[in-house]
Amino acid sequence: MMSGWARMGLVLACAGLAAGCGSKPQTAAAAGARSGLVTPSAPAVTVPLSTSLVTAQGTWAIAVMGGSAASENNFWQLFVRPTGAGQWSEVTPPGVADNGGLVAAGTGTSLVIGFRPSQNLAFSPLATSTDAGRNWTPGLLDADLGNESGALAVDPSGQALALLQDGTIQTAPTAGAAAAGQWSELTTRQALAASAPGRDCGLQALDAVSFGPDKTPMTAGSCERPGVAGVFTDTSGRWQSAGLALPAAYRDDQVQVLGLAATSGGNVALLLAGDSLLAAWSNGTRWTVSAPVAVGAVRASGFGTGGSTWLLLSGGRAETVSGPGAAWQALPTVPTGTATLAPGPGGGYDALAVSGSKLTVWRLTKGAWAKVQLIKVPIEYGSSS
Amino acid sequence: MPGMNSGLSPDDPTLVAAFRSALLHQGTIAFIAVIFLWLVWATARTWRLTTPSATPSTGEAGAASEAEGSAEAATSERVGLGEARGRWLLRIGFGVLWILDGILQAQPKMAAGLPSLVIEPTAAGSPAWVQHLVNWGGTIWSYHPIQAGAASVWIQVGIGAWLIVGGRGRWSRLAGAASVGWGLIVWVFGESFGGIFAPGLSWLTGAPGAVLFYAAAGALIALPEGAWRSPRLGRLVLAGFGIFFIGMAVLQAWPGRGFWQGTVHGRPGSLTDMVQSMVSTSQPRFLSALLSAFSSFVAGHGFAVNLVVVIVLAVLGAIFLTARPRLVRYAVWFGIASCLADWVLVQDLGFLGGVGTDPNSMIPMALLFSAGYLALTPLPEEPVEDTAGAGWGQRLRALRPRTLGGMVASASARSVAAVAAVAVIVLGAAPMASAAANHSADPILALAIEGGSTSLDLPAPGFSLTNQDGRAVTLASLHGKVVLMTFLDPVCTTDCPIIAQEFKQTGELLGAKDKDVDLVAIVANPSYRSTTFTQAFDRQEELAGVPNWQYLTGSVSQLGAVWRGYGVSVTNLPAGAMAAHNDLAIVIDGAGNIREEVGADPGPGTTSTQSSFSVLLSQYARQALGRS
């Protein structure tokens, strides 16, 4: 016969058994992601990737749209207003998630877009269009493209420069080589910092690449030594200072080059010196520096035709300068949500304002902003989660 | 903390069903084992009673005589002293608590949720070395949640049953030792050392961890019973509690720890915050209302409440240190009342909400100091009938083949029940020990994400594509080998790199059989599809050196035909989104037939879920190899 103790053991075993009953189904939601690479030397000011540029095909603008809570729901968009047209359209290259950001570089005949890596992607796909964004040809930069709007440059021959996140500059000799991923190292931030012009400026970081009027590669960055602007040009494999000297008033200020672009006859640079923003233009032999404009937090910046430059600052401020020798002009306070400015038809400006997946185009007409277009962008929320 | 959880929902129906199934299976086995033990014991006793030859010969004596003796001899009761009251209280009290804890461990959320819902939050405030240690244990749990969850249930139920049925003697003392061992494991890994290294330590909230009291009780039960005959043990226990209570009073009174204020700058103080957080626990409405009211009271009278707590702790500590029985008796009743009040009003009974693992510290603490009082005041010793049975030495001496039956027959019911309890512990611990030796997570995690797989026996659609090296590859060229196939976007930012790593790990899990398996991915992007991108993807994922890895591509029309043939939808999405495609893994046997189709969505994408998918895929590959 079973004793009382044995019965108790059985009862206890059954009690444990019975405890396994009951369930409540529910779905899971959590995500893991690999971390990205680390920037070796962060510049004093980081200019967002939002920008615009002008090519023979039209005017292009880049802005981030979508959700604000998670970067996986922020999608960068490319818009174009074809030359001669008044309307904008969304022409973001398909096939790659662009949550990491878009970087654009244009020539007279084509526009190249670089996708910055995000999440588990460690290299930068490219896309090139020669028909105002209707068709795109894929390309590859097998590296982490830098997080600056000036990190990519192409010249009319198809030669390309790419500034990487770690400060390396790579070059591809032709558009075909760029598409095939055949890039080679041109220099590194460390190598440039160790060169004579790099030592003279105390080079800390590189912020942009471009081409000079004679198709020579150029780069620009931040200098530790006060009063010196770090703009360099590669002459037959030897890096030299591009000769940009600032007025004596800035001799005690550290200088950071926020942007660098090619113009028809030279280059244009956007500089931060102390608490002033300056534009500087080169005609290939000498530089002209603009009067200063008081700095605010830079929300976006870009270059137009003829060396024109624009700035979108905090508080809805916007400033433009039309070219060498001109003065900065303040635009009327931009509409709420303005993500970027772009040269508009007739020499004016368009303000592209973002709200979620809606882009509103405001045009500066008779000294005031007028709403001219609303674009609903079909953002695929959750597609990068 | 990395690795601490699988990223799956604690309520995931697949995991909950698997956990329940494991408990049912192991419970059935436990039931059968107990019945079997009882039958063997009962049969042996009956056989010894009815077999004349079983009567001991006159030439045998001592242990052999006792072991081989008749049923009457087996049940003969030696005259000895009764079990000390304090020891009995600890044994039964903590036995019941262990069983309750085991039952709580069987709650549906426990298997997948314990690391993320219990262990991780508990460890969050502790120093990095504690978190590192705890994370190590939590990772093992996360990789094998079903085995770990079931093991915790059966180990705790087994220890509890063992304590209750063990009675006295060595079996009982061993149960105490088991309680110490498991209690310390739970205290370190489940309670992060009871939070003693974290800020905000307080008696009110459960310091120094409930399970430390379980371990202390186990240690007392494991002492030789002679130790309980003297008041000295009681004095030691009470002195320990005296120091503990005074220490807790000092901590409670220490300025700057936030206990004196009910609210600080309009925000709840430490105690108010604790009670308010308990209000949100799923529980009966009356309890929630009681806590809510107490929370408001604490918020308004924080200083007074803390003053009462400090005084109670200091008075209890001082009286316990005196070890004067009359005073201690009142203090014990006062202490029990205080513990019960804190248990209800602050700790919210401890076990509510679906992820409570024990009733928190107050009940075990009260049991322990009550036992200390009983040990301080032993009753006059009266001889009682000792039913503990023969000692181990005698049993071991009797362990000869011809006396085994006699030994079983002579065993007491208490001993048989204790063996059954140990069997329950082993039943839970063995699968967990086996699983923990495997560095890959259980495939059940993958099934929880994918919802199972589909077994098929269909000819695989043929294809002619180009691999990453530019060589043509056809399905026919892969015949003779098992093909594990998937569809990957080379510029994908989310799942595809993870799936590629899962395939790579699958090859590693296959070991020597890897040479009979091809790992094949087909491009799933209509734009970024050239070998430039497959090669870049291979470099990114360090797949370029994997000999049986093939990343195939072709023209849009070639790829389109393959996508259609395998039921994969690939679409370019607008506005900066990546190309959309199914996450799919297909197992093709050596004869070119599809054998298994399984979703390959890495889901939460944690190391454990990736590992579990690789295990699942390698299992399917082995099955396909067996058919080839």
Side-chain angles (χ1 to χ4, degrees):
Chain A
M1 276 186 68
M2 187 187 291
S3 73
W5 286 113
R7 276 197 298 273
M8 184 182 291
L10 275 176
V11 168
L12 292 175
C14 292
L17 189 68
C21 302
S23 67
K24 191 175 74 171
Q26 208 169 34
T27 55
R34 265 187 249 169
S35 59
L37 298 175
V38 176
T39 311
S41 174
V45 171
T46 302
V47 181
L49 296 177
S50 300
T51 189
S52 64
L53 70 162
V54 180
T55 70
Q57 301 171 61
T59 302
W60 308 82
I62 291 174
V64 64
M65 301 184 73
S68 57
S71 59
E72 301 89 64
N73 274 332
N74 286 331
F75 292 87
W76 289 80
Q77 306 299 337
L78 176 67
F79 299 91
V80 66
R81 183 178 58 77
T83 303
Q87 295 287 297
W88 290 83
S89 55
E90 185 263 307
V91 289
T92 310
V96 185
D98 65 6
N99 311 95
L102 296 176
V103 178
T107 67
T109 55
S110 66
L111 183 90
V112 179
I113 290 289
F115 294 84
R116 293 205 63 252
S118 62
Q119 298 193 77
N120 294 335
L121 184 65
F123 55 85
S124 299
L126 305 173
T128 303
S129 176
T130 57
D131 57 3
R134 282 189 290 278
N135 294 285
W136 294 94
T137 304
L140 173 70
L141 172 65
D142 195 2
D144 186 357
L145 184 61
N147 190 24
E148 294 89 13
S149 58
L152 204 56
V154 289
D155 79 356
S157 71
Q159 185 185 0
L161 294 173
L163 173 61
L164 308 187
Q165 184 73 1
D166 65 0
T168 300
I169 297 175
Q170 291 196 350
T171 181
T174 63
Q182 293 163 353
W183 296 74
S184 59
E185 184 177 297
L186 185 63
T187 189
T188 64
R189 183 189 63 83
Q190 291 87 347
L192 194 51
S195 68
R199 286 197 306 274
D200 285 347
C201 106
L203 183 65
Q204 290 182 309
L206 293 175
D207 300 320
V209 289
S210 186
F211 286 98
D214 51 357
K215 316 304 178 202
T216 54
M218 294 181 73
T219 187
S222 311
C223 294
E224 189 173 23
R225 190 174 156 201
V228 179
V231 183
F232 310 96
T233 181
D234 178 19
T235 308
S236 304
R238 186 160 169 264
W239 287 93
Q240 295 179 323
S241 169
L244 172 54
L246 294 182
Y250 303 104
R251 67 179 173 223
D252 295 329
D253 293 325
Q254 280 195 313
V255 181
Q256 179 183 356
V257 180
L258 301 179
L260 179 67
T263 62
S264 56
N267 292 91
V268 56
L270 181 64
L271 311 170
L272 173 69
D275 56 0
S276 299
L277 282 163
L278 308 162
W281 299 267
S282 163
N283 61 7
T285 54
R286 59 183 291 273
W287 289 83
T288 304
V289 180
S290 74
V293 62
V295 71
V298 180
R299 304 287 187 213
S301 64
F303 302 105
T305 53
S308 64
T309 304
W310 60 264
L311 284 169
L312 180 62
L313 303 170
S314 56
R317 284 176 57 209
E319 300 275 350
T320 66
V321 59
S322 58
W328 288 97
Q329 287 191 327
L331 299 181
T333 301
V334 296
T336 303
T338 297
T340 187
L341 297 179
Y349 274 90
D350 285 351
L352 278 61
V354 169
S355 174
S357 57
K358 291 179 184 171
L359 181 96
T360 306
V361 180
W362 299 80
R363 188 155 292 159
L364 190 57
T365 308
K366 297 176 183 173
W369 295 102
K371 185 165 33 172
V372 295
Q373 191 179 357
L374 176 67
I375 300 173
K376 291 182 180 174
V377 178
I379 289 175
E380 296 283 342
Y381 290 104
S383 62
S384 289
S385 302
Chain B
M1 280 187 269
M4 183 55 95
N5 65 71
S6 62
L8 293 168
S9 165
D11 295 315
D12 184 282
T14 304
L15 292 179
V16 170
F19 182 43
R20 188 192 305 167
S21 174
L23 287 174
L24 281 171
H25 283 130
Q26 292 179 344
T28 305
I29 293 169
F31 181 77
I32 292 169
V34 170
I35 294 291
F36 177 75
L37 277 172
W38 177 79
L39 282 174
V40 168
W41 178 63
T43 304
R45 285 169 63 89
T46 307
W47 182 75
R48 298 298 292 181
L49 272 171
T50 57
T51 307
S53 61
T55 308
S57 67
T58 53
E60 293 179 304
S65 171
E66 182 181 324
E68 292 178 337
S70 64
E72 288 86 349
T75 54
S76 70
E77 292 160 337
R78 295 176 296 145
V79 174
L81 300 173
E83 184 181 15
R85 293 179 303 161
R87 189 179 186 279
W88 181 90
L89 178 67
L90 290 183
R91 195 168 54 75
I92 301 300
F94 280 89
V96 170
L97 283 176
W98 273 126
I99 291 172
L100 174 63
D101 291 0
I103 292 169
L104 290 172
Q105 283 291 339
Q107 293 175 102
K109 287 182 182 176
M110 281 299 178
L114 189 97
S116 59
L117 299 179
V118 178
I119 297 177
E120 191 174 346
T122 306
S126 295
W129 69 269
V130 173
Q131 294 194 28
H132 182 75
L133 181 67
V134 169
N135 185 57
W136 177 74
T139 300
I140 292 176
W141 182 296
S142 294
Y143 273 42
H144 313 285
I146 306 304
Q147 290 94 330
S152 298
V153 171
W154 296 118
I155 288 172
Q156 293 180 179
V157 166
I159 290 174
W162 192 2
L163 280 170
I164 290 171
V165 303
R168 301 171 54 201
R170 286 184 175 84
W171 269 112
S172 173
R173 292 176 60 197
L174 276 174
S179 186
V180 173
W182 181 250
L184 289 177
I185 289 172
V186 176
W187 186 62
V188 171
F189 294 104
E191 295 189 341
S192 302
F193 296 91
I196 60 173
F197 299 110
L201 190 71
S202 169
W203 171 81
L204 292 168
T205 54
V211 191
L212 192 60
F213 293 118
Y214 288 48
L220 292 172
I221 293 167
L223 288 174
E225 287 194 50
W228 288 90
R229 308 282 171 221
S230 159
R232 186 164 172 269
L233 181 63
R235 278 198 293 272
L236 281 173
V237 171
L238 292 171
F241 266 104
I243 293 167
F244 168 71
F245 279 133
I246 288 174
M248 288 291 116
V250 171
L251 279 178
Q252 200 67 31
W254 201 271
R257 299 187 77 237
F259 291 114
W260 288 107
Q261 292 90 22
T263 54
V264 182
H265 303 304
R267 301 175 67 181
S270 299
L271 182 55
T272 312
D273 191 41
M274 166 82 178
V275 179
Q276 282 182 355
S277 69
M278 289 298 177
V279 174
S280 59
T281 302
S282 176
Q283 59 194 311
R285 185 170 294 176
F286 77 92
L287 198 53
S288 172
L290 183 64
L291 286 173
S292 189
F294 184 64
S295 156
S296 303
F297 182 79
V298 174
H301 306 87
F303 185 88
V305 171
N306 198 51
L307 185 65
V308 169
V309 173
V310 170
I311 291 171
V312 165
L313 289 171
V315 168
L316 283 175
I319 294 176
F320 283 168
L321 278 175
T322 68
R324 295 174 64 179
R326 173 175 277 186
L327 270 178
V328 169
R329 186 173 65 178
Y330 291 120
V332 164
W333 284 115
F334 183 54
I336 290 172
S338 303
C339 285
L340 287 175
D342 185 86
W343 187 49
V344 175
L345 293 174
V346 179
Q347 298 187 352
D348 195 18
L349 308 185
F351 55 82
L352 300 172
V355 288
T357 55
D358 56 50
N360 214 329
S361 61
M362 289 299 152
I363 300 298
M365 191 189 307
L367 281 172
L368 206 50
F369 65 64
S370 299
Y373 166 71
L374 293 175
L376 181 70
T377 57
L379 292 175
E381 295 177 351
E382 294 177 3
V384 295
E385 292 172 342
D386 186 354
T387 56
W392 272 104
Q394 293 169 316
R395 293 188 185 285
L396 287 173
R397 282 194 297 276
L399 192 60
R400 299 196 302 268
R402 70 187 184 85
T403 65
L404 190 59
M407 191 181 77
V408 172
S410 67
S412 66
R414 192 187 298 275
S415 300
V416 174
V419 169
V422 173
V424 170
I425 294 172
V426 172
L427 185 78
M432 179 59 207
S434 170
N438 186 346
H439 296 300
S440 300
D442 297 328
I444 186 69
L445 298 177
L447 292 172
I449 297 168
E450 311 300 348
S453 61
T454 308
S455 294
L456 300 167
D457 187 9
L458 299 169
F463 55 77
S464 178
L465 297 168
T466 304
N467 76 1
Q468 66 269 35
D469 302 322
R471 286 188 291 109
V473 175
T474 63
L475 179 63
S477 71
L478 303 175
H479 277 186
K481 283 188 169 185
V482 166
V483 174
L484 303 181
M485 181 190 286
T486 189
F487 295 82
L488 302 179
D489 174 1
V491 294
C492 162
T493 60
T494 54
D495 293 355
C496 298
I498 298 170
I499 295 169
Q501 289 303 313
E502 289 171 338
F503 267 61
K504 186 179 175 186
Q505 189 179 14
T506 300
E508 291 163 2
L509 288 171
L510 286 168
K513 292 186 182 299
D514 186 39
K515 64 180 173 42
D516 300 320
V517 174
D518 270 322
L519 309 171
V520 174
I522 293 173
V523 165
N525 188 317
S527 304
Y528 292 81
R529 56 181 169 73
S530 71
T531 53
T532 298
F533 298 103
T534 56
Q535 289 168 1
F537 183 88
D538 286 357
R539 283 192 294 273
Q540 172 185 275
E541 298 304 317
E542 298 180 346
L543 285 159
V546 177
N548 55 345
W549 169 257
Q550 308 242 37
Y551 197 176
L552 308 182
T553 190
S555 65
V556 172
S557 62
Q558 284 175 312
L559 288 171
V562 180
W563 296 336
R564 283 191 298 277
Y566 285 88
V568 175
S569 167
V570 181
T571 318
N572 261 345
L573 295 177
M578 77 181 89
H581 64 91
N582 318 33
D583 287 337
L584 187 67
I586 294 166
V587 182
I588 302 172
D589 65 18
N593 293 314
I594 297 175
R595 288 296 184 175
E596 206 77 40
E597 191 175 290
V598 54
D601 188 339
T606 63
T607 311
S608 62
T609 52
Q610 290 170 46
S611 167
S612 73
F613 182 82
S614 300
V615 173
L616 185 70
L617 204 55
S618 65
Q619 286 177 358
Y620 290 142
R622 286 176 198 279
Q623 289 169 11
L625 281 168
R627 291 193 189 98
S628 299

